[in-house]
Amino acid sequence: MQKCLKEMMPAARNNINTQFIVLEKGRTTLEGGQNKTCLGLVADESASVHFQFWNEECEAFHPGDIVRLCNGIFSYNRNNHLVLRAGKRGNLDKVGEFTMLFVESPNMSEISWIPDPNNSAIYIQHSLISPCSRIFPPML
Amino acid sequence: MVEVVRRKNGIEPHAPVMLRLLYSSEFVSFIDVSVQRKQEMSKRSEVLTGDQMASSLIHKAIYEADNPFDLSLREAFQLLEPQLRPPFPLTIREEPEYFTLNRAILYGILTETHLAKVHIKHLHGIVIDGYCFFTSLLCKVVDELYSKLVENVKVQLVYVTSEMIDVSATGVDSLLVALLRQIRGGDFSEANLWLCSEMVNLFRGKWECLLEEQPLVLSSALYVFLRVLSDHCRVSLNSKLEILKQNEIKFCIRVFRDQFHLCLKIGRDLIRLLQDLVHVPEFQDIWKDLLLVPASFKTPGFSDVSQLYQSRTCSRYFLLRITPEMEIHLRFLLTQVKLGSQTRYQLWFGRKYLNAPEKETVVIDIVRFICCAHHPSNDIIHSNVIPRWAVIGWLLKCCTKNHIEANVKLVLFYDWLFFKEGVDNIMNIEPAILLMVNSLPKYIHMTHNLLEFLFLVVDHYDIDRKDLILIGVSSALDVLKRKGVVESFDVLTSCDMLSPFLKEKLVKLLS
C-alpha cells in the first residue's frame, strides 16, 4: 500500500512504498572508500524527508524528478542521521517530472523519535528538532 | 462458451486446469476460436512483460519507469508478430483486435526499418477507419515520446507521416501539428535542426496535396518557420544550415506569394514574426509590398496591413511554439502551485528549458502563450495559485539580452495595440496591467520599464497607423477599468516614484 511521507516512522523494515518529488541534492561522497552516497531532500504533499541516494542512484536522479519508491526503509544511517532510502531490497523508479505538489514542513528527518513506552517495537514522535530541513533550507 | 464450460464445472477462470483443458483437442472444437486467441494473448503478454523485452522505440534511462504507451505498442507487436509477415489474410478485423493490429503495425513500421514498406502495405490492406486510429497513435507517439525516441525511429516517423499525407489519412493535420510542436525555438542542436529540415522538406514536397486537403496546416507551418527563421537568421550558420535556412525562406515566401489568404488566417502575430525578419532580403520585398502595394498579393479584400493588425491571432498558433511537455509544466505551475511556493519550480523550469543563452528566445513564445492561450478560470483567479502576471514578471527577469527583453514586452502588450472590444479578449491584455500595478511599490523599476515601453511602441511601432494604435491602447485601458481588472489607474497616475513624464503621458491616454 502507498504511504504518504508523514505516515512514516523509523523502523528496521523495508516496507515503505511511496512516491515523492526530489527537491534538492547534496554533494556525492564516498562511504567506506567504495560506495557513493548522496543526501537529498524529497517531499510529497504531506511532508519532506532526507533521502540517501546510493551508488548509481546519485547521478540518476535530479531535482524535479518524481520518484516511486518500493520496499524502502526509513531508519538511521551510519552517521546516525534519520533517512529514507531504497536499501538493498528496495527499488527506485523515475515516473515523471515537475508536476507534483509538495510541502517542506514537517521534515520527517528533523523529528526526534523515542521507543513507544507501551510497545518497544515501535517509535513515537518525541519532539520537533526543526520545522524544515536544516541541511536544505527552504527557498524563498 | 468458455464461461458456460467454467460455470458448469465450477472452475475458477484462469485456473491452470482450465488452461490445460483449453488446449486439449476435445475442448477446442467447442470453443470459439477468437476466445481461444484471447486466452493465448493474455498468456503470452504475461511472459512478455518480463525484463528480457527492451524497447526498440525509446531510449530509457537507468531507473526510468516503463512508459505505459511504449509498452502497449511493444506488447501488441510481440503478440501479433506472426501475423505481420505476408501473406496477409483478407479478414476484416473488429475492435479491439483492430486496435491491437494497428498498434502492432505501427511498432513494426517504426522499429523494423527494412520491413517498413511491407508493414505499410499491410496497414493499407486492413484499414477500415480512414487511418483515424493509426494517426491518433502517431500523434501520441509524437506528443508523449518524441524527445526519447531512438534516432532511426524519428526517421521512420517522418516517413510514415509522408505516407499518411499521400493517402489523405483522417487526422494527418493533427499529426503534422504535433510534429511542428516538437521543433524547439532557440535550439540549435543537430536533432532540432534535423527536424526543421525534415519538416520543411515535407511541406515543400507535399505542397500540392496539402494545399488541396489541409490548407490550414500550411498556415501553421508558416507560423512555425517564420518563428524559427528568426533564430536561424540571427547566427552565422555553416553550409548545411545555410541550406536549411534557404529552404525555410523558400517555403515561407511561397505561401506569401501564392497563397496569401493562408497568411491572413494567422492574424496580427504574422506581422510580429515578420518584423524579426526585416533584415532578411527576401522578406524585405514582402514588407515593401505589404506596406506599399497590398494589391500585389492578389487577395480580394486585402487592401492594408491594418487588416492584419485588427485580426486577433487564434491561440492554436501560440501552442505551436510550446512543446506539449512544456505546456504541461506551465499549466501545472499556473493552476496548482501556490504563490510563495513557486521558487523551486521556476528553478527547475529554467534549468530544463532556458539553460543556454541561445534558448532565451523561447521566453517570447512562452509569454505569448501565457497571455493568449492560458486563460485561468475564475476559481483559479480568486485562489492563492500563482497568477499569470507573476510568472511573466519572473520570465522577464530571466532575459539577459536586450532584444529578447524588448520582444517579451512587445508580446505582453501586443494585443493592447490593436485592442477592439468584441474582437479581442480581455484575458490577453490582463497580465500586463496587473504586472505594472502589482509591481508597485517594491518593484517600481518593472512598472517604469513597462510603461515606458508601452509609450515607445505607441509612438513608433507603425508611425503611419499611430491613430489606430492609440485607439487600441485607449480601448484596452478603458475595458480593463470598466470590467474591474483594476479599480482605477490612480495607483499609477498618483505614484510619487513614477516619473512625471510617464504619468503625464498616461493621463493623456486615459482622457
Side-chain angles (χ1 to χ4, degrees), chain A residues 8-23:
Chain A
M8 297 189 303
M9 57 176 95
R13 285 166 52 191
N14 53 298
N15 60 353
I16 294 178
N17 297 306
T18 190
Q19 195 160 303
F20 51 74
I21 185 160
V22 180
L23 303 190

Side-chain angles (χ1 to χ4, degrees), chain B residues 62 69 89 114 134-135 177 203 250 280 347 383 426 441 458 475:
Chain B
I62 181 170
F69 180 55
H114 56 297
F134 189 77
T135 52
V177 163
F203 279 104
K250 278 181 201 154
V280 183
L347 191 74
S383 71
I426 189 169
V458 166
S475 333

Side-chain angles (χ1 to χ4, degrees), chain B residues 52-103:
Chain B
Q52 75 272 28
M53 205 178 65
S55 173
S56 312
L57 213 57
I58 56 174
H59 294 291
K60 205 181 108 184
I62 181 170
Y63 291 108
E64 197 173 319
D66 272 332
N67 180 288
F69 180 55
D70 167 47
L71 202 63
S72 75
L73 297 179
R74 217 190 315 164
E75 278 174 8
F77 178 78
Q78 301 271 349
L79 196 64
L80 300 182
E81 203 180 348
Q83 299 179 37
L84 299 178
R85 314 289 176 231
F88 301 119
L90 289 168
T91 45
I92 292 174
R93 318 294 177 125
E94 286 180 12
E95 301 164 10
E97 200 199 346
Y98 178 70
F99 294 145
T100 314
L101 187 57
N102 267 272
R103 289 192 188 93

Side-chain angles (χ1 to χ4, degrees), chain B residues 418-437:
Chain B
F418 317 107
F419 193 85
K420 195 173 177 192
E421 226 179 331
V423 174
D424 280 282
N425 190 330
I426 189 169
M427 291 299 278
N428 294 5
I429 58 170
E430 179 231 50
I433 190 71
L434 291 183
L435 181 55
M436 286 194 287
V437 168

Side-chain angles (χ1 to χ4, degrees), chain B residues 126-143:
Chain B
I126 61 120
V127 118
I128 49 171
D129 63 348
Y131 303 88
C132 180
F133 184 67
F134 189 77
T135 52
S136 77
L137 287 177
L138 277 166
C139 287
K140 212 165 141 81
V141 168
V142 178
D143 284 349

Side-chain angles (χ1 to χ4, degrees), chain B residues 162-211:
Chain B
S162 149
E163 289 284 320
M164 291 300 104
I165 297 173
D166 288 344
V167 296
S168 301
T170 307
V172 72
D173 51 338
S174 308
L175 174 58
L176 288 166
V177 163
L179 282 164
L180 285 171
R181 289 189 76 183
Q182 293 298 333
I183 294 178
R184 290 152 196 265
D187 182 342
F188 292 88
S189 69
E190 196 149 321
N192 193 51
L193 296 173
W194 173 84
L195 183 61
C196 290
S197 170
E198 291 296 315
M199 291 309 287
V200 80
N201 291 341
L202 197 59
F203 279 104
R204 293 185 71 212
K206 305 286 181 191
W207 173 269
E208 302 292 343
C209 182
L210 289 170
L211 191 60

Side-chain angles (χ1 to χ4, degrees), chain B residues 315-345:
Chain B
S315 59
R316 65 188 178 86
Y317 290 101
F318 306 121
L319 280 166
L320 281 168
R321 294 294 71 236
I322 305 279
T323 61
E325 187 183 31
M326 192 191 271
E327 183 189 354
I328 290 168
H329 290 180
L330 282 168
R331 291 203 198 270
F332 178 82
L333 185 66
L334 290 160
T335 56
Q336 307 280 320
V337 177
K338 309 259 185 304
L339 188 60
S341 309
Q342 74 274 24
T343 315
R344 290 193 192 275
Y345 293 103

